[in-house]
Amino acid sequence: GGHPVKTINFGQFAVHYGGAGGKVVITSGVDGIADYGSGDHLLDSADFKQAKDAAGMPDANAGFMFLDLKNALPLLEGFAGLAGESLPSQVTENLRPLRSFLAWSEGSGDSRTFDAFLEIK
């Protein structure tokens, strides 16, 4: 898509990263960076909206990070499978209640705040 991309190859999978639209984009998808800005958007995601509302994150902020933990568990199990292992059942049961993680920054000049929210159900 005309964006310079760097790749970290882990053998069975790769992570691609680069800049697009003034943002840093990290993806496991081959076309993830080229596709940035098209299709579905995070801000429209029901999971993101729920986490944002629960956390009280303001619309105007200096930047944020969102992790969809409930959908990350199958990914973690897949990574373990790539290594020829499986996650212990105790670990998967402990991780299952985790829903999302949201962190953001606010402020201006020399004054900044950083907030983080972990949603557990």
Side-chain angles (χ1 to χ4, degrees), residues 25-67:
V25 180
I26 302 170
T27 180
S28 60
V30 175
D31 297 324
I33 295 172
D35 290 345
Y36 173 75
S38 64
D40 295 335
H41 293 82
L42 175 63
L43 298 178
D44 298 326
S45 160
D47 291 331
F48 174 75
K49 287 179 182 178
Q50 178 182 342
K52 182 179 173 283
D53 290 345
M57 184 181 91
D59 290 332
N61 58 68
F64 68 90
M65 177 183 72
F66 172 71
L67 298 175

Side-chain angles (χ1 to χ4, degrees), residues 7-8 13-14 24 26-27 30 37 42-43 46 51 53-54 57-58 62 73 75-76 88 93 100 107 114 117-119:
T7 299
I8 302 172
F13 70 97
V24 174
I26 302 170
T27 180
V30 175
L42 175 63
L43 298 178
D53 290 345
M57 184 181 91
L73 183 55
L75 180 64
L76 292 174
E93 289 307 312
S100 63
F114 295 92
F117 174 79
L118 176 64
E119 183 179 16

